[in-house]
Structures are given as structure tokens and as C-alpha cells.
Amino acid sequence: MAKDMPQGVGAGAAGTATARPRASGWARILGWAGQRARLIAPLVTLLGLVVFFSLTTDSFFTTRNLWNGILSQYAVVAVAAAGTTFVLLCAEIDLSIAAVSLLIGVLSAYFWITPVFGIDFGTWGVLIGLIAAALIGYANGFFAAYIRIPSFMMTLAMSTIALGLAVWVTQGKPIFKVPGLLRTLGGTGSKIGPVPVPVIVAAVVLLVADIVLSYTKFGRYVYMTGGNREAAEMSGVNTRRVVALCLMISGLTAGMAGMLNVGKLNGANPQPSNELLIFTIASVVLGGTSLFGGEGGIKNTLIGVLIFGCLRNGLNQVEGISIYIKQAVEGFFLVGALLLNVVALRLERIRTQAE
Amino acid sequence: MQRDDAGLTPIPPSPSHDPPAAGALLALRGVTKRFGGATALDGVDFELMPGEIHGLLGENGAGKSTLMKILSGFQAPDEGEMTLRGEQVRFSSPAEAKARGIGMVYQELSTIGALSVAENVFLGDQPTTRGGIINWKRMNAAADAQLRELGVQVDVTSRLSALPLGLQQMVEIARVVFSGADVVILDEPTSALSVRESERLFTSMRELRARGTSLIFISHFLEDVLAVADRVTILKNARKVATLPAAGLTKQRLIEMMIGRDASTLAASYQEGVTLPPPVEAPPVLEIEGLSIPGAVRDASLTVRAGEIVGLFGFLGSGMTEIARALFGQLQPHAGVIRLDGRPVQIHSSTQAKRLGIAYLSENRRATLFPRQEIYKNMTLAHLDRLVPPLFRKRSELGIAEQMVKRTGVRPPNPHLLAGYLSGGNQQKVVLGRWLTRQPKLLILNEPTRGMDVGAKREVLDLIKGLKAEGVAVLLLSAEPETVMTEADRILVMSKGRVTKEFAGERVSKDLLMAHA
Ligand SMILES: Nc1ncnc2c1ncn2[C@@H]1O[C@H](COP(=O)(O)OP(=O)(O)OP(=O)(O)O)[C@@H](O)[C@H]1O
Ligand SMILES: [Mg+2]
């Protein structure tokens, strides 16, 4: 049968020897190009911001500001963003991040001070909070994947439910007693050496998420489900389970973020705010992960969170910007960063639409 | 195999650029296109005369689609020029080419599944009322009329994605063919069509030609090209080999020019028929009894034994794809029994089917390929279990992919390339390879050689024969008589949801198969 292909594929050792190195040379570059642009463009943005703020302010590039102003401040966002990355990678969305984190934060404080059904949970309340977070996330996932309510709507509805529950549990009043564990994990003051503990927590969460996404079967299923859901299904991947689990992970990390936040603020206030939701999704997308699924990853998310953190932190320190215009300036920077991502992908990606 | 050197005309290494022939409607001069370091087209000349059907041939990856994408403004050439009616042109978008009367049916569907059939036929220029609102009544009536002309009768208001692949392809063709373009480019339009639809398409193509339209027709069915084309151009490794009148050319001669060597074995035509081998004596792996699927299959029964290839032949709407989908948990049968190794099973999902040892290659590449993922990820997906636990080893994953790239002959043979950058035929090799990384118990292949060139087809069929020798039960679905006739031990013909005929141990021919379909 061996068809002697001139460029030597199956047969012909000589053909293989000559064609192979050339083919892999260019093809490797091409193959990785798309992915690299996805990582390089945000990295350039990040470096640009760091250089810019270092030159324009005295206070930006100081050990203190880097650790406490940026890394420690945005650790909460990083934790939530790790889970959100899973959701965006499989081409879904989670709009309940902020509300779930609020509810779980409130719950963990509530369990600390109030016995439920006569049981004083104490620090175990933290564990119960995590389980509750995963369950809420799974509920999102179940309705989105199996019942086919679009995740956009489902998580929006869940957001309202979670907010309502948070207000109901606390009767609208803030709780000022917080488990010591959370103060240790989330508190800005708690440090190991020069490293704030929340930063370590965030690093661990990101690392675990990266390992799951890059080196496990489930992780690969997430990418493939986002890349082409139908094709994944036709390859024997249980895509509905993948989607449900991704939303569960997102719920879990949102809950963790909520607890860290409670530890940081040393109190739980059932005040609705969508800041965390916007920060999180903005960070993931700034990092280059596609909103349409299948492309990106935790490395992108890490860079995205840093871009977002540097931008907000840096702008605060630039003198001569009126606080009234600051927000608009921030928006312009965001558009600029996104533009760079898009342009880089355009340059790298040869149109392959119709084929 | 004998080399017949005398029969081969030497091919000039680099074609000289003659001045364009007078009267050419469209002419390309010295067109070069590179992707990264790879050259997809290398100084290619191409001429299209008014009112001709021009066949474009070449192996997978030869550059056919790329050349046509340049003509239709989808891609810009790196070098070379293009003249339209003697005037130099350069298109920066398909819309621009369309405005100048060039329309193209792409190799992969570019229709929109969520829209209605009629909306797809008029995608981009729906008829409107004076107020600018879409005139639904007129659009539906016109779409219906156009599709009827191509021999298709469907409810034009139904969602396109609800139609079988072949009909979706016809809708795409109708959109371009009736758009009033002077130049109609058809990139492998018949790869998803069965003989009947193809014949209707050829009739429409001839009618268009009679009205003065020029057509370019890409296909790996060489007999079809010889039958409809006035002239053919052959590409090989990014270069043009020759442009010749179709009259007087033979299939064998075409293959020689395409692959550059003697090819008598590849040119075998099954017109005279083949004799099927004596029946396989082995325990049945799959038994289907009285299977019914509403609207698709009625009371179908079949058996596939270990080490046996059963060919299932039928046209669009014959119900064979639905049987395959039911076996892979994508459709729930209404009645009937499916037995696997003698035990009745109910298959609810693809995951369960895979666990039972069933592998299924869908006929629809859109539903199988991950264009934005690397080749190696495309290939290892179905059997990732082999790479875990506890964590992936990149090296072993790449090893498996490299082996499979070699076995299926993907070109370029680089597992890191994004699958979407491969030519159509090579994409097909990738999706086929996915199911060969581990030996399934039952392998169901729906049009496994779609879009492959003659040589690749031969190799894939040999590969399937190898699996059979290892004891895999193979169910091979195709609307192409040659595919089922080449390797099948038994052939079942389906028509309108029923199994109408079974051939075993006897002589079959193309005509005989078609007579029962
Ligand atoms: N967007 C792209 N990026 C990188 N390489 C590409 C791209 N498009 C095509 N190629 C390469 O160019 C070569 C020619 O591809 P082309 O699609 O024109 O082949 P073809 O003749 O149409 O083959 P087939 O019969 O399989 O459809 C192939 O090697 C392919 O891998
Ligand atoms: Mg092609």
C-alpha cells in the first residue's frame, strides 16, 4: 500500500529525514503563535503599566506597594478569577460571583457567632461555607447544563437569590465577629516573612487550578468543550457534566473569595456590590482568555489580575489626575489593553474561518 | 505494481508565465501564498474562460482551496496579480469579490444553523419591502423555487440545523449558484452529497454554463470532474502541473499528474463490480433487531461480527446516519433491540457508548473537528484515559499523536499545528485518527474518507482493513458506492428508513447498489 509521498510521511526514511525538520520548524512557530499572542500581548501590557507607573510615580515601584497595595489587595480577585477561568474556558458565564461570595462570607461569620440547630459550629462553619458555595455553584451548573437554562440567566437569578439570603440571614445587619482562621488567611496584616498570607492562598489556588486545567483529563475536557461542544460530545465527553462542574468550581472559588474578604475587612456586611464580579471577569478577559471558550488559561488569568491591580493601584498614585476623571481614565486604559489583545491575535492568526 | 515511465510526460519544474490568453474572463499570474514558512501556492497561473466549467484537481494540501480563496477575496496573495475581464483587480474581502460577480461555496459549510433554510439561501441579501423590512413571503417562495430547481424539497421555514448534512450543503450551493454571479466557485460541493444530489447539481452547473456563467469545480471524484468539466487544471505541491482539455483525459492520467507516478491500482473503477468474500464466521458483536426511529428508520435489522466490515449504503434520508447516531446514544430508538456481544443494551449518551467499546466518526466535520486546538489534542481526546493517572505526561501524549499522524498520513506531519490550518482532507485524517488511538470493539465510520484524495482514500481503507484483521467489528456508512465496495464483507442497502437489500458472498456492482437505494 505504501504510497511514496514525495514529502515523505508514512514511508521513505529519506523523505522523512529531509521534510521533517523544515516542517516542524515553521509549523511549530505557526502552531504556537495563536497561543503565544494570547499570553504575550497581556504580558506586554503588564510590563508597560509597571514601567509607566514606576516612571510617573515614586510610590508605585516600592516593596511595600507591590506586596500590600497590589498583591495583597487583589488576592481576593485572583481566587475568584481562578474559578471563573474554568467557566469562561467552557464558553459559559457566571454572573453570581459577587453575590455568592457575599453570602458565603456572611454565612461563615454567622456560623461563628450563632449556633444553628443547637450546634455551635465554630471554625467548622468555614467548611460548611465552602460546601454551601460548591452546592450553589453546582445548582447553577445543573440548571445551565442539564435543564439548559442559559448560564447568563441562571447565574443572574442565582445572584439575586444569594443576595436575598445574605440579607435574610443577617437581618441586614453587619457582623463584626470573624473566625480567627479567616483573619489569618485573609487579613492584610497577617504575613509569613514579607509575604502576606492572602497572597499565598491565592498562589495556591491558582497553582491547583493550573494543574487541573493543564494536566488532568477534566482540564482537557474543559478546553475541548469550550472549543467545540458538539465535537466534544461526539468524542464521548460528558459535556454537560463538564459545564456543571466548571460552574461548581466557580461557586467554590467565589465562596473562598468571600471568606478571604471577610477576613480582610474583619467583618461581614451584607451590602450588595458587584465590584468583585466586574473585577473578576475583567481580569480574566484582560489576561487574554476568550469569552467564547477553549482558549486561555490560568497563566493568562494571573497576568490579567496583575494588570488590573497595577492599573487601579497605579492610577491612584499618579498625581495631577482629578479623582473625578480617574474612573474614565481607568476605562480608557482597559480599552487600550483589550485592543492590544485583539490586534495581537489578529496579527498572529491567519484567517481560517471557512476551512 | 509496474512503473510505466513511458506514459509520463515530464513536468516542467517551474511553469513559464505566458501572457494571458485573449478572452479570459479571469486570470491569475504567478500567484504565491505563504503561511508562516510553508508555501501553499508557488507562482501559480490560472485562467478561466467565459462559459466554461473548469475542474481543479490535486492531492490533499496541494493548494486548491487556497487558490480559490484568493480568487474570492477571502485571502490576499503574497505575490502575483489577478485580472478580471482584462482589468487588474485586487479584492480585500469576499464582499468585494461578490460585488464583482464572483461567488464561492466553501469546502466547509458557511451557513448558519440557527436561521431558516430560506434565510440561509438569501444570506446577506434578503429581498426587502420598500420600507427595508425583509419580505418573508417573497423570500420563502424564491428559496423554495431555487431549491426545487436543484431537486430539493424541504420546508424552507424550518431551521437549517434540523436538516441532514447533505441538504445543508445543497442550501449553501443554492445560495451561491442562484446569486447571479458570473463566476461560481464550488470547493468540493459533492463531498457530502449522494449520487442523486450530485447529478442534480451537475445538471444545474451545465445549465448555468449554457447561460454564460463560468464555473470552477473542485472534487476528488475524478470521474465526476471528467464528466462535467471542459478543462482541468492540476496542482501538485503548491505548483501548477498543467491545464488541459478534459476530453481525452483518463482517470489514470489525472492521478499520474496529481501524484506524479504510475497509479494504475488507484485508478481501478468499480463499474464492473466486485465479488464479496465468503461470510465471516465469528460471534456477532452488534445485533440490531427491528429498530425504529420516528421519522427516520423503520424496522431495521443488522448484524456485525468480530473481524467483519459491514458496509451500509444509502442516499440522503435513507436513515443510516440515524442508526449510527442511535448506536452512539445521540438518538433514542422508538422500538427494537440493540445487542452488544449478545447482551441487550440501551445507549443514552456518547460517554456510555464509548465505555461500551463503541467508537463513532460523524459525517459532519463541523461536529468533529476542534479547529482552534492543536492536532495532538484533537487526536488524543477520545482516549485520554491512557495518559492519566495521575497527571498527563506531555511526552506520551505527543508520542501517541505522532504515531497517529504518521499512520493516517496527515500533512504537514506536525502535531503542534492548529487543526483548523490543515487542508480539508487532512482535517478528515485527524478526526479519523482520534478513534484509532485505541482499538474499539465496534467502530462505526460515517463517510470516513470524505474529502480525501484518491491515494489517501486507499490508505484509509487499508487501515480499516488492518483493524478488521485485529478483530474489530466495523460498520462502514457511505453514500459512495466505491467506499463500501472496496472493503466490505457484506453490504446492506438502505432506502427510506428500511434495509432493502443485503449482499453477501455474491457479486455487486455500482448499478446494483444504486438500484436498491
Ligand atoms: N490558514 C492557514 N494557515 C496555515 N496553513 C494553511 C492555512 N490554510 C492552508 N494552509 C496550508 O496550505 C496548504 C494548502 O492547503 P489547501 O487548503 O489549499 O489544500 P487543498 O488543495 O484545498 O486540499 P484538500 O483537498 O485537502 O482540501 C496545506 O498544507 C495547508 O496546511
Ligand atoms: Mg481544500
Side-chain angles (χ1 to χ4, degrees):
Chain A
M1 68 167 260
K3 184 179 109 180
D4 70 51
M5 290 200 196
Q7 291 206 332
V9 179
T16 312
T18 52
R20 204 52 197 284
R22 215 192 64 197
S24 46
W26 67 262
R28 192 152 301 190
I29 292 168
L30 244 179
W32 287 109
Q35 236 181 340
R36 274 211 228 134
R38 237 173 231 295
L39 211 53
I40 289 172
L43 207 54
V44 167
T45 306
L46 178 60
L47 289 178
L49 284 178
V50 170
V51 169
F52 175 75
F53 288 124
S54 302
L55 294 178
T56 49
T57 71
D58 295 330
S59 48
F60 179 81
F61 204 78
T62 58
T63 330
R64 209 181 107 82
N65 185 50
L66 293 185
W67 281 125
N68 298 340
I70 299 171
L71 293 178
S72 182
Q73 283 303 318
Y74 290 88
V76 175
V77 175
V79 168
T84 307
T85 309
F86 283 78
V87 177
L88 292 198
L89 279 178
C90 68
E92 298 287 343
I93 189 111
D94 186 352
L95 300 179
S96 66
I97 299 165
V100 170
S101 86
L102 182 75
L103 172 64
I104 300 300
V106 161
L107 277 185
S108 58
Y110 181 77
F111 281 127
W112 176 244
I113 52 165
T114 326
V116 181
F117 305 123
I119 308 167
D120 188 358
F121 285 102
T123 305
W124 290 105
V126 170
L127 187 65
I128 298 194
L130 286 180
I131 293 171
L135 284 178
I136 292 172
Y138 190 77
N140 276 334
F142 179 82
F143 283 102
Y146 293 93
I147 314 290
R148 312 239 155 150
I149 298 175
S151 56
F152 187 94
M153 279 321 293
M154 183 58 221
T155 56
L156 198 61
M158 184 60 84
S159 174
T160 312
I161 295 173
L163 275 183
L165 287 178
V167 174
W168 176 66
V169 165
T170 57
Q171 297 295 304
K173 290 187 278 289
I175 303 174
F176 293 112
K177 283 210 177 91
V178 169
L181 177 66
L182 295 188
R183 269 178 291 151
T184 313
L185 292 177
T188 31
S190 83
K191 286 186 180 185
I192 297 179
V195 187
V197 178
V199 177
I200 297 174
V201 174
V204 170
V205 170
L206 286 171
L207 185 70
V208 170
D210 190 35
I211 290 173
V212 170
L213 277 177
S214 307
Y215 298 105
T216 67
K217 194 161 81 167
F218 172 71
R220 181 63 59 80
Y221 285 175
V222 172
Y223 279 96
M224 299 313 250
T225 299
N228 183 348
R229 174 140 345 157
E230 194 182 1
E233 183 70 37
M234 292 307 280
S235 307
V237 175
N238 191 344
T239 54
R240 281 186 277 187
R241 206 182 74 175
V242 170
V243 169
L245 287 180
C246 283
L247 278 154
M248 183 183 95
I249 292 172
S250 177
L252 183 65
T253 54
M256 289 162 101
M259 291 187 185
L260 289 181
N261 214 21
V262 164
K264 181 164 109 184
L265 304 174
N266 203 1
N269 189 357
Q271 253 320 301
S273 145
N274 265 334
E275 216 175 44
L276 184 66
L277 172 67
I278 293 160
F279 285 10
T280 305
I281 293 187
S283 298
V284 176
V285 175
L286 275 175
T289 293
S290 164
L291 271 171
F292 304 106
E295 294 166 73
I298 295 294
K299 293 176 192 76
N300 296 85
T301 296
L302 173 62
I303 298 172
V305 174
L306 291 176
I307 292 176
F308 199 68
C310 285
L311 180 58
R312 288 179 56 91
N313 173 278
L315 276 182
N316 272 331
Q317 302 178 35
V318 178
E319 280 171 41
I321 301 183
S322 139
I323 50 162
Y324 299 111
I325 194 72
K326 207 158 267 181
Q327 199 161 10
V329 172
E330 190 183 310
F332 284 124
F333 269 94
L334 288 178
V335 172
L338 293 173
L339 209 62
L340 188 67
N341 286 0
V342 171
V343 170
L345 286 180
R346 273 280 154 80
L347 286 181
E348 299 282 3
R349 183 185 298 194
I350 302 150
R351 285 190 291 180
T352 155
Q353 260 320 88
E355 179 89 8
Chain B
M1 213 196 312
Q2 263 192 353
R3 274 193 81 105
D4 177 19
D5 282 319
L8 286 170
T9 348
I11 294 152
S14 164
S16 51
H17 304 296
D18 332 294
L25 174 60
L26 187 65
L28 292 172
R29 291 274 144 244
V31 166
T32 294
K33 176 78 185 172
R34 292 185 201 90
F35 293 107
T39 309
L41 291 172
D42 185 4
V44 171
D45 295 346
F46 180 83
E47 251 162 41
L48 185 67
M49 296 308 213
E52 78 163 334
I53 298 181
H54 197 124
L56 186 58
L57 300 173
E59 285 183 291
N60 292 135
K64 305 179 294 295
S65 297
T66 309
L67 188 65
M68 292 304 109
K69 284 181 195 164
I70 286 172
L71 271 185
S72 67
F74 192 84
Q75 278 170 347
D78 297 328
E79 285 164 34
E81 55 191 49
M82 172 160 36
T83 51
L84 181 66
R85 296 189 188 84
E87 176 198 343
Q88 195 156 332
V89 287
R90 204 174 181 98
F91 302 132
S92 55
S93 73
E96 224 172 277
K98 197 174 159 200
R100 301 294 298 264
I102 299 176
M104 175 161 175
V105 173
Y106 293 100
Q107 189 166 6
E108 292 308 315
L109 294 175
S110 55
T111 43
I112 299 170
L115 295 183
S116 76
V117 170
E119 283 173 287
N120 270 291
V121 170
F122 286 98
L123 208 62
D125 47 13
Q126 291 93 338
T128 51
T129 61
R130 237 167 293 141
I133 296 160
I134 292 178
N135 187 339
W136 288 94
K137 225 165 142 189
R138 224 176 78 207
M139 182 168 83
N140 289 341
D144 190 58
Q146 297 186 357
L147 285 168
R148 266 170 208 278
E149 201 166 325
L150 284 172
V152 177
Q153 288 187 23
V154 289
D155 176 5
V156 295
T157 59
S158 62
R159 261 171 60 127
L160 185 78
S161 58
L163 299 187
L165 185 66
L167 285 181
Q168 294 188 24
Q169 179 75 47
M170 290 305 266
V171 170
E172 167 122 18
I173 291 170
R175 175 170 61 140
V176 176
V177 164
F178 297 107
S179 66
D182 307 320
V183 176
V184 171
I185 304 169
L186 301 160
D187 192 350
E188 296 192 35
T190 60
S191 69
L193 301 184
S194 51
V195 184
R196 267 183 218 156
E197 291 85 35
S198 300
E199 287 300 335
R200 286 304 278 257
L201 174 62
F202 298 153
T203 309
S204 298
M205 285 167 67
R206 291 191 181 105
E207 281 167 15
L208 280 176
R209 172 178 61 188
R211 276 183 245 153
T213 307
S214 302
L215 299 101
I216 302 173
F217 176 48
I218 300 181
S219 177
H220 290 293
F221 299 113
L222 306 180
E223 279 118 345
D224 290 352
V225 176
L226 287 176
V228 294
D230 302 305
R231 294 195 303 157
V232 292
T233 290
I234 295 126
L235 295 181
K236 175 173 160 53
N237 288 340
R239 299 212 179 160
K240 181 169 116 174
V241 176
T243 298
L244 299 164
L249 279 175
T250 60
K251 186 176 173 188
Q252 180 166 355
R253 181 83 187 99
L254 286 178
I255 297 173
E256 280 168 9
M257 286 191 285
M258 280 167 62
I259 69 179
R261 67 186 171 88
D262 174 57
S264 41
T265 50
L266 293 178
S269 144
Y270 290 88
Q271 207 65 52
E272 322 80 56
V274 294
T275 305
L276 296 173
V280 173
E281 301 283 345
V285 171
L286 171 72
E287 293 162 282
I288 296 178
E289 248 170 60
L291 192 80
S292 290
I293 299 166
V297 181
R298 267 180 299 167
D299 195 26
S301 301
L302 64 89
T303 305
V304 189
R305 294 168 190 282
E308 185 185 39
I309 301 177
V310 172
L312 207 50
F313 175 80
F315 294 146
L316 258 179
S318 66
M320 50 180 204
T321 294
E322 283 78 7
I323 291 187
R325 287 175 64 82
L327 287 172
F328 206 58
Q330 302 296 300
L331 281 178
Q332 291 313 311
H334 194 67
V337 193
I338 298 172
R339 270 194 292 271
L340 217 54
D341 283 335
R343 269 186 324 177
V345 286
Q346 280 193 334
I347 305 167
H348 298 291
S349 71
S350 59
T351 323
Q352 186 201 354
K354 191 166 85 174
R355 222 178 298 125
L356 289 167
I358 302 174
Y360 173 52
L361 176 62
S362 161
E363 81 287 10
N364 185 353
R365 211 176 295 139
R366 244 194 201 181
T368 47
L369 191 82
F370 300 85
R372 300 288 314 148
Q373 308 286 344
E374 292 86 345
I375 291 173
Y376 76 90
K377 289 184 187 164
N378 269 276
M379 279 189 150
T380 55
L381 180 64
H383 294 302
L384 281 180
D385 324 52
R386 264 169 74 166
L387 304 164
V388 273
L391 298 177
F392 265 26
R393 273 171 224 108
K394 269 262 148 63
R395 184 106 46 82
S396 67
E397 178 174 22
L398 278 176
I400 292 172
E402 255 158 26
Q403 215 181 318
M404 202 41 69
V405 159
K406 223 178 250 173
R407 252 176 94 188
T408 50
V410 176
R411 277 170 73 186
N414 177 352
H416 290 288
L417 203 66
L418 297 191
Y421 291 153
L422 290 173
S423 81
N426 283 298
Q427 293 179 356
Q428 184 65 22
K429 295 177 198 168
V430 168
V431 295
L432 176 67
R434 179 181 308 153
W435 286 116
L436 303 181
T437 49
R438 179 188 286 173
Q439 221 181 66
K441 186 184 293 172
L442 171 66
L443 179 60
I444 306 166
L445 299 170
N446 199 346
E447 301 291 356
T449 59
R450 233 192 99 196
M452 290 191 191
D453 64 44
V454 275
K457 252 180 207 168
R458 180 73 250 161
E459 291 188 346
V460 163
L461 290 174
D462 282 334
L463 219 116
I464 296 168
K465 203 157 83 180
L467 290 172
K468 159 195 151 131
E470 289 164 29
V472 178
V474 183
L475 187 58
L476 180 61
L477 284 62
S478 183
E480 206 189 306
E482 288 83 357
T483 305
V484 286
M485 281 164 67
T486 319
E487 294 307 341
D489 294 298
R490 283 187 295 128
I491 300 173
L492 275 66
V493 183
M494 283 194 70
S495 177
K496 301 206 177 85
R498 289 180 188 280
V499 178
T500 49
K501 176 78 185 162
E502 173 169 351
F503 295 97
E506 59 198 289
R507 217 175 155 66
V508 282
S509 68
K510 222 163 153 171
D511 295 334
L512 210 50
L513 282 182
M514 310 247 271
H516 291 279

